[in-house]
Amino acid sequence: ATLAVRYSNDAAALYGLQVEPHDTSWSILKPRFESMIDAIHTVHPRALIMVPGTAYSRFIQGAVDDPLNPATGRVNLVYKTHPYDAWATIQATYELDRISAQVPVFIGEFGDGAFMGLADVQQLLTYAESKPAGNMGWCAWLFSDEACPCLLSNRTTFAPTTYGIEVRDRLRAAG
């Protein structure tokens, strides 16, 4: 609520609720998120709010299966996932086709690392880019050369990693 007051006149402000909740369920998170959304929308009614999934923001099925009630003014919500998994696992467990057909989805973190290789990143981005405009967006993580997945191999020269080149080239192609 304090941040919503501070940025209530800033149309470009995006709000993200409790990043990467874990060791909890959607049924426990839902009332907390509803309270946070209501507090933000009370002072910034047109604010765009990113709602994370469970298990470190990976799974957003709960938000579709037991939705936040839009009848109470809970609108302008985008459901954010952090799919740090192999593409086969994402396809098998994330239900992104079903979810993105019902609500806007934002891939807020992903990257080449321990569980997700560059080929998985490429498949995920190709998939996201195949969706109709407004159904799915993405943002790469992490503009650093430490605490990977790293977009940079050197933060002084800004030399990109192979993952960074993939993201840069896709952003350039998107225009």
Side-chain angles (χ1 to χ4, degrees), residues 89-153:
T89 301
I90 293 168
Q91 285 182 299
T93 60
Y94 282 71
E95 300 181 62
L96 293 179
D97 279 333
R98 178 178 74 91
I99 295 166
S100 66
Q102 297 177 53
V103 297
V105 173
F106 187 75
I107 301 167
E109 285 187 28
F110 63 91
D112 186 14
F115 300 105
M116 176 180 244
L118 185 60
D120 300 311
V121 167
Q122 292 166 330
Q123 289 172 305
L124 176 66
L125 294 180
T126 298
Y127 170 80
E129 291 164 353
S130 75
K131 293 296 183 187
N135 285 43
M136 189 174 293
W138 59 271
C139 177
W141 181 260
L142 174 71
F143 196 67
S144 177
D145 62 355
E146 296 178 353
C148 293
C150 301
L151 291 164
L152 302 176
S153 62

Side-chain angles (χ1 to χ4, degrees), residues 10-25:
D10 187 345
L14 300 174
Y15 298 87
L17 306 180
Q18 190 176 342
V19 175
E20 296 194 339
H22 55 89
D23 302 325
T24 190
S25 67

Side-chain angles (χ1 to χ4, degrees), residues 16 35 47 61 67 79 83 93 169:
S35 175
Q61 292 95 324
Y79 296 87
T93 60
D169 290 351

